[in-house]
Amino acid sequence: MDFELKTLSAADAAPSRTDALIVLVQLESKPGRDALSRWVSDAVKAQDFEPRAGKLLAAYRPAGFGATRVLAAGIGDGSAKSVRQAVAAAVGSLKGSPARKITVLFPAAPAAGAVRAAVLAAADASYVYTTTRGKADGRKLERVTIGVPDAATQQQFFDQARGTVAGVELAKEWGNRPANHATPTLLADAAQSLARRGSGVQCEVLGPREVAKLGMGSFMAVARGSEEPLRFIVLKYQGAPKAAAPVVLVGKGITFDTGGISIKPAAEMDEMKFDMCGAASVLGVFKALSEIRPAVNVIGLIPACENMPDGRSLKPGDVVTSMSGQTIEVLNTDAEGRLILCDALSYAERFKPAAVIDIATLTGACVIALGGVRSGLFSSNDALATALQAAGEVALDPCWRMPLDDEYAEGLKSNFADVANVAGRAAGAVTAAKFLQRFTGSLTWAHLDIAGTAWKGGAAKGSTGRPVGLLLEYLLAQVGVSQPAVRAVRVRQRA
Ligand code: BES
Ligand code: MN
Ligand code: ZN
């Protein structure tokens, strides 16, 4: 799907030919005297349309307009969040229609982040997964034109948004693929194809032999129970001088999580194909970086394998030796995410990173704590936590900081190893983070538990592409090319 940014007034938009013209209407906005503005203000006066966020009014071939469909979409206070809601409703309402080319018009100057919100919402509301659906039709929408009073002021944010959409959609694609169409090998192939010439991305894939040589005994132990060979994916994006310390992103890549010998119940086990959404978000970020080309250095690390029950599987009580040298008593083979991440965190040290952020569908407990609204954020570093939280707010991909008091690590004590891989049921998302923290040494580290936010269940089952938006906003803020709002938040926090 194509996006286009144009300088367009309400007067110019009214006669233009398009399959749908969506005009965003703010509460108490002063109506212009052109035909489109009068159409809206008549409806408001007649109480047929209220410009609150999410409210819609649609007309088919109204006289005097060039568009086949004209929609007024309320944006209430005009904030990015309201714009997202409005565009989601308007584009969502067109999903069954034959509309292919549409225009989303901001009649007045958009608020900070509003253009990006519109682009992302239009993409999200028209997204269709097709890869394994036989002859199913794909996305109908071909082009979205964003009309604003002054395109030049929005160009940079628009370009970032378009790159972000590419990343979000790649993350959705790999998240949604069934596990037999998204094996560790296929995931590595996807990473490798990001490293096309001229993309700015490089990729290296390690297999079982190289991983054994590195001493990743914990990662290897999880992969033992599967016929599918593990992969350790290393992605590099160099946008800044070589000497600049990179940000390392580590994504959990369990392509299917049965629980292993500590097997999960059957209900909803299919959703464990989404257990590589952390990995998918790292792939998505690299896709977006290759399009946006910001001046940052980023490393992506993805340990990828299946967690299966088998004659060779890891067993409860087994003790494994991690790359860090710490021994781990595996009391529950279903707590496998931390077992593959700990070795990837040890590997991260060699890059002398400015920050390391791991992204993982790590615990059901995080879903209980925060639901599907905010990802769990854990960090021993206040500045990094603040920056990630601010990026989440600006990107409308929010997270919430959780505690890391040492008392939470009590339950991880083992009589047979340096550490156990599980504590009790209490504060399960925090004890998982405490386990990871043991492998971060002197790194500036944060952990995002996306178990509740990476996908939706039920009728709308599917990957959300989160937290690609948050991560990109964080990376762009590092080089000062983010939305003005994020800079304002950061300056306030410094003051
Ligand atoms: N991938 C799961 C976490 C998960 C569960 C995410 C449900 C989303 C929905 C993870 O590997 C896991 O199984 N965690 C266990 C940990 C427990 C054994 C300490 C969990 O959360 O039950
Ligand atoms: Mn598990
Ligand atoms: Zn898992």
Side-chain angles (χ1 to χ4, degrees), residues 71-83:
L71 286 88
I75 56 169
D77 59 1
S79 67
K81 199 170 175 178
S82 303
V83 167

Side-chain angles (χ1 to χ4, degrees), residues 252 257 259 264 275 307 333-336:
K252 172 178 172 182
D257 182 11
K264 290 178 181 291
D275 213 16
N307 186 24
T333 65
D334 198 9
E336 85 296 341

Side-chain angles (χ1 to χ4, degrees), residues 252 257 264 272 275 332 334 336 361-364 422 451 455:
K252 172 178 172 182
D257 182 11
K264 290 178 181 291
M272 285 298 116
D275 213 16
N332 190 323
D334 198 9
E336 85 296 341
T361 49
L362 202 63
T363 65
V422 291
W455 78 89

